[in-house]
Amino acid sequence: MKKNKNTFWEFFASVKLALFCFFTLAIASIVGTIIPQNEAPSFYLQKYGVKAAEVFRLLNIPDMYNSWWFVSLLSLFSINLIVCSIDRLPTVWKMVTMDNLATKVGRLEKMTPRQQFGSPKPMQEVVAEVEQTLSDAGWKPSRRERDGGTLLFSQKTPWVRFGVYIVHLSILVIFAGAIIGTLFGAKGSIMVREKSIVPYYYDRGSQMQVPLGFDLRVNDFSLTYYDTGAPKEFRSDLTVIENGQEVLNKSIVVNDPLNYKGFTFYQSSYQAYDEYWITVQNQNSGERKTFLARPGTEIKWREAGVTLGIVNLMQPDRWGRYRLKIWFSDGKGEPSVFWLDGETLVSVERLDGAFAFKSEQLFATGLQIAKDPGVWPVYIGCTMMLLGLIIAFFLSHKRVWVYIYDEENKTKLLVAGSANKNKVGFESMYDTLVEKLEENETLQLSKV
Amino acid sequence: MDSSKLLGITTFIYMFSSVIYLGMFIFRVKKIGLLATVVTIIGLLVNTAGIGMRWLESYQMGIGHAPLSNMYESLVFFAWSIVLLYIIIEFVYKNKIIGAFAVPFAFASMAYASLSPEFSDRINPLVPALQSNWLIAHVFTCFIGYAAFAVACGTGIMYLVKLRDKGESPDGLLSTLPPLKVIDDITHKIILFGFIWLSAGIISGAVWANSAWGTYWSWDPKETWSLITWFIYASALHARFTRGWGGKRIAWISIIGFLAVIFTYYGVNFLLSGLHSYGAS
């Protein structure tokens, strides 16, 4: 490929531009960490004054990471990555695919490490023996007759030269994933009370209702505490309902969301209400019903001829413990008044038999909703980046040549090697290989 | 022996070890080199035992979790990572002078953890957001990276110190330091190593954030600062391919990079607000 060596191309291919991008992106990013992002316009007016707020508005500082200039910087960075990779790849491709058996003997004579040997054995025998020794040592060679001699060549991991470009490509793949997410993804949230069904959520940007395409029912929310009073677990029991059918049931916690049809539901917050679920069971008939009761209001269960209400309460403490004072009448005899201790079951004897009571505080669970088809590209990009970095930093392209030729009826060997990285490590590998050749009794090598 | 005692002892051993390494460098007493290494290894073992004990204690308390959940625990782990990494470097490069520029970081981290009144060494249960298998992976990768950058900062300082060596006195203080080219090579290799771990740390954080909040990247100050740090070290890696950007500038980048690491790790928690607030306790 002929390189288009104009200054424009060179500018976009340059490492200097990469350095410029790193520094400007780093410095610009700092701004967004110091100035709070995505606050209301009035916030900036109050905190920074009219003039600053106006400058912020012009430069889109309140939403800096999505501003035209920050996105332009990221684009410049991407162009830099693409152009420099296109610029350098042909050379690297040549290095990886090159015919190393065509390497000039003169070049081998200048390589480090290299060593020369002589052998009393005829050339053909030496070639066969060296080939065998290299193969045994894990350097299976290819061969070619050259300039009256034979050149053997073996290499390891030539493809690692692409490592750096895998890293460059990985960044572009991550950006592609981010763009896919922005274009086709959705982010939102919804607060749902227990035992309610929602067919929609609120979009994070527009605050508009967006249909889910199915129904989500919140069966229960529970909150547990450690002895210290710190929250231990937020748990929501969810059911997905589609066309009237319950299709999926899952209890989610903060690090374990629910996935359905591309949407993911995350436990994110909750709200406690001053209302209580009260379940009453007639222990004779087994009839049972749950009511939502607000303190001070009367509840009637007509079918059972029962009236009840919360007449007093002790608000939940920091472990979520509360007490309810219940007033209850089934129309027979004096009404019962008793305390319900949190969620413990209480049985009350009446003239006609016993009634059981259980209470639970009403909560709403706050769910984050995300749909991001760009996540997989991003994850693939991240994996590529780590693999690419390991390849680029720790693996090297190692090459070994043995040129066997005849000089005044004596067989001579030239052993040369090269590695593109970690030369120290390679030299000890090369030394081991040379030792194996020297130890070979058939070859009877002597240093020249 | 409880974990607090073991970690207290660790602090003193690292102080002692720092003094020996610095003494070896300043007074050119090569003989105490072996002592320095032995003391440091003992420190590392006690540090390891302290972390292990703390882990065990959390299970005995019924709130078992890896001791990587708050500022105190992370400072202890930071010190552990620095010393582990330094010991490996000492064995690979067979050079003890680097110790004078690396072990003091570990001591500083331990001392800050134990002495600072703002961090409690109490074992607290994990809040829901931290109850994830990603906790260990994320903290481990980040701190191995941070430790590498601490050592790279040390060798960067060493480079700048060595620059002042005009070679006038053959047995001067600075002549004991390795040649500039060698220091530069060590710094470069440690930055490469740290860069992989930092990348892995950012990525594990992103994957975790996505599984907990549904967003792998939200430009939260902590995330953003880790990215700023990443850019700084990326520039160190590319600077080598630019003429006129040799050792001296890279040494400076290794110092500036480490300041960014400190800010990402520590400064963000106290000076900026964001999602990553667990570290502040």
Side-chain angles (χ1 to χ4, degrees), chain A residues 372-441:
Chain A
D372 192 347
V375 163
W376 283 107
V378 168
Y379 284 3
I380 290 166
C382 290
T383 313
M384 280 172 66
M385 178 183 286
L386 290 179
L387 288 177
L389 286 173
I390 291 167
I391 292 167
F393 291 168
F394 297 129
L395 301 182
S396 64
H397 178 198
K398 299 181 264 293
R399 294 181 288 177
V400 169
W401 290 264
V402 183
Y403 184 53
I404 301 155
Y405 56 103
D406 194 88
E407 199 180 74
E408 292 154 7
N409 287 328
K410 282 184 96 177
T411 307
K412 291 274 176 67
L413 292 90
L414 170 63
V415 187
S418 105
N420 67 331
K421 260 177 301 185
N422 188 15
K423 304 224 172 0
V424 182
F426 174 69
E427 272 178 34
S428 76
M429 233 171 164
Y430 168 90
D431 289 342
T432 326
L433 192 61
V434 168
E435 256 169 48
K436 288 223 169 93
L437 290 172
E438 285 179 310
E439 283 163 7
N440 189 316
E441 283 167 15

Side-chain angles (χ1 to χ4, degrees), chain A residues 99-339:
Chain A
D99 178 13
N100 287 287
L101 284 169
T103 310
K104 292 208 168 59
V105 175
R107 275 204 56 206
L108 299 181
E109 283 166 347
K110 285 186 200 115
M111 271 181 195
T112 15
R114 71 165 185 285
Q115 259 171 297
Q116 279 208 297
F117 297 98
S119 169
K121 295 293 167 93
M123 222 180 90
Q124 288 317 314
E125 203 184 326
V126 171
V127 168
E129 198 57 38
V130 170
E131 230 171 3
Q132 189 58 47
T133 311
L134 288 182
S135 300
D136 290 347
W139 293 86
K140 197 174 165 47
S142 47
R143 63 187 273 188
R144 187 177 297 163
E145 309 308 320
R146 285 268 314 274
D147 317 320
T150 301
L151 182 63
L152 298 177
F153 170 75
S154 181
Q155 65 180 343
K156 279 182 177 162
T157 58
W159 50 269
V160 303
R161 288 179 183 269
F162 290 124
V164 170
Y165 302 96
I166 296 174
V167 178
H168 286 180
L169 183 63
S170 77
I171 295 170
L172 296 171
V173 172
I174 292 171
F175 283 174
I179 292 168
I180 291 171
T182 314
L183 293 179
F184 306 109
K187 292 270 153 71
S189 62
I190 187 135
M191 186 67 86
V192 194
R193 284 168 46 131
E194 288 171 314
K195 298 184 175 50
S196 308
I197 296 176
V198 279
Y200 56 81
Y201 64 92
Y202 291 97
D203 182 71
R204 190 169 68 185
S206 63
Q207 298 298 321
M208 300 284 280
Q209 274 188 12
V210 183
L212 283 166
F214 52 86
D215 291 345
L216 184 74
R217 187 177 71 209
V218 174
N219 305 312
D220 184 48
F221 173 82
S222 66
L223 173 58
T224 50
Y225 295 90
Y226 292 109
D227 297 338
T228 58
K232 182 178 186 179
E233 186 183 75
F234 307 113
R235 182 179 287 275
S236 295
D237 189 49
L238 307 178
T239 301
V240 174
I241 300 166
E242 200 163 17
N243 305 320
Q245 297 283 318
E246 294 190 3
V247 286
L248 183 64
N249 197 315
K250 185 173 166 144
S251 182
I252 66 166
V253 291
V254 173
N255 275 293
D256 185 19
L258 162 80
N259 289 297
Y260 189 70
K261 290 212 164 157
F263 285 104
T264 312
F265 297 86
Y266 301 86
Q267 179 68 57
S268 92
S269 62
Y270 72 94
Q271 200 176 323
Y273 292 89
D274 191 18
E275 285 177 62
Y276 296 83
W277 297 106
I278 294 176
T279 304
V280 188
Q281 185 172 30
N282 181 328
Q283 294 192 310
N284 280 349
S285 63
E287 278 179 296
R288 182 155 79 151
K289 196 157 184 182
T290 302
F291 305 91
L292 187 58
R294 192 172 295 168
T297 47
E298 193 182 77
I299 292 161
K300 278 196 185 320
W301 181 9
R302 288 180 206 288
E303 298 82 7
V306 154
T307 313
L308 71 152
I310 302 170
V311 289
N312 196 0
L313 82 163
M314 283 165 70
Q315 295 284 355
D317 63 8
R318 65 184 184 129
W319 290 276
R321 294 177 306 202
Y322 63 89
R323 294 184 83 199
L324 302 177
K325 195 174 200 179
I326 304 291
W327 180 94
F328 174 83
S329 167
D330 55 359
K332 291 151 189 140
E334 285 290 299
S336 302
V337 178
F338 55 93
W339 283 97

Side-chain angles (χ1 to χ4, degrees), chain B residues 223-277:
Chain B
E223 286 172 356
T224 309
W225 269 95
S226 72
L227 186 67
I228 291 165
T229 309
W230 193 86
F231 280 134
I232 294 173
Y233 287 107
S235 74
L237 301 181
H238 288 78
R240 305 209 127 213
F241 304 109
T242 311
R243 239 174 284 144
W245 274 74
K248 193 176 165 186
R249 290 207 193 179
I250 290 175
W252 274 111
I253 294 176
S254 74
I255 295 168
I256 295 166
F258 187 59
L259 293 177
V261 166
I262 304 238
F263 194 79
T264 307
Y265 168 32
Y266 179 79
V268 171
N269 292 358
F270 298 96
L271 301 176
L272 308 168
S273 62
L275 296 166
H276 224 286
S277 53

Side-chain angles (χ1 to χ4, degrees), chain B:
Chain B
M1 192 65 103
D2 65 1
S3 66
S4 301
K5 259 192 204 135
L6 285 170
L7 294 172
I9 296 169
T10 308
T11 313
F12 280 100
I13 301 180
Y14 286 164
M15 180 177 73
F16 188 42
S17 153
S18 303
V19 168
I20 310 175
Y21 277 117
L22 284 167
M24 198 174 73
F25 167 54
I26 295 167
F27 303 108
R28 276 153 289 163
V29 212
K30 287 209 163 170
K31 282 176 201 158
I32 53 174
L34 183 67
L35 179 68
T37 307
V38 170
V39 168
T40 311
I41 290 174
I42 292 172
L44 183 63
L45 293 175
V46 178
N47 195 346
T48 312
I51 292 173
M53 189 62 94
R54 196 175 162 92
W55 203 331
L56 205 71
E57 282 162 10
S58 74
Y59 274 93
Q60 285 162 355
M61 291 167 70
I63 48 169
H65 60 80
L68 302 169
S69 68
N70 59 24
M71 201 69 189
Y72 173 83
E73 292 175 335
S74 72
L75 281 166
V76 168
F77 187 68
F78 187 34
W80 182 85
S81 318
I82 292 171
V83 173
L84 176 68
L85 199 65
Y86 166 70
I87 289 288
I88 294 170
I89 290 168
E90 188 183 302
F91 277 90
V92 170
Y93 287 94
K94 302 194 172 41
N95 189 314
K96 291 177 194 287
I97 295 293
I98 302 170
F101 295 85
V103 179
F105 285 114
F107 165 61
S109 181
M110 282 305 299
Y112 190 48
S114 356
L115 302 177
S116 173
E118 55 200 302
F119 313 130
S120 142
D121 65 351
R122 263 206 20 220
I123 302 177
N124 282 317
L126 285 184
V127 295
L130 293 182
Q131 294 165 12
S132 166
N133 292 331
W134 287 103
L135 173 68
I136 297 180
H138 178 56
V139 177
F140 186 83
T141 47
C142 287
F143 277 87
I144 298 291
Y146 289 178
F149 294 140
V151 180
C153 172
T155 56
I157 293 171
M158 200 160 124
Y159 187 96
L160 296 176
V161 170
K162 178 75 177 177
L163 262 186
R164 305 175 62 182
D165 179 16
K166 303 285 184 268
E168 281 150 4
S169 54
D171 47 35
L173 180 58
L174 303 180
S175 64
T176 50
L177 295 176
L180 283 176
K181 255 185 97 174
V182 174
I183 307 176
D184 184 49
D185 184 57
I186 295 174
T187 308
H188 177 67
K189 288 201 169 123
I190 300 170
I191 290 178
L192 290 184
F193 180 79
F195 192 73
I196 290 187
W197 288 100
L198 175 66
S199 307
I202 295 175
I203 289 170
S204 60
V207 175
W208 186 6
N210 192 52
S211 71
W213 299 315
T215 315
Y216 53 82
W217 194 263
S218 47
W219 295 104
D220 154 82
K222 192 94 167 179
E223 286 172 356
T224 309
W225 269 95
S226 72
L227 186 67
I228 291 165
T229 309
W230 193 86
F231 280 134
I232 294 173
Y233 287 107
S235 74
L237 301 181
H238 288 78
R240 305 209 127 213
F241 304 109
T242 311
R243 239 174 284 144
W245 274 74
K248 193 176 165 186
R249 290 207 193 179
I250 290 175
W252 274 111
I253 294 176
S254 74
I255 295 168
I256 295 166
F258 187 59
L259 293 177
V261 166
I262 304 238
F263 194 79
T264 307
Y265 168 32
Y266 179 79
V268 171
N269 292 358
F270 298 96
L271 301 176
L272 308 168
S273 62
L275 296 166
H276 224 286
S277 53
Y278 335 104
S281 53

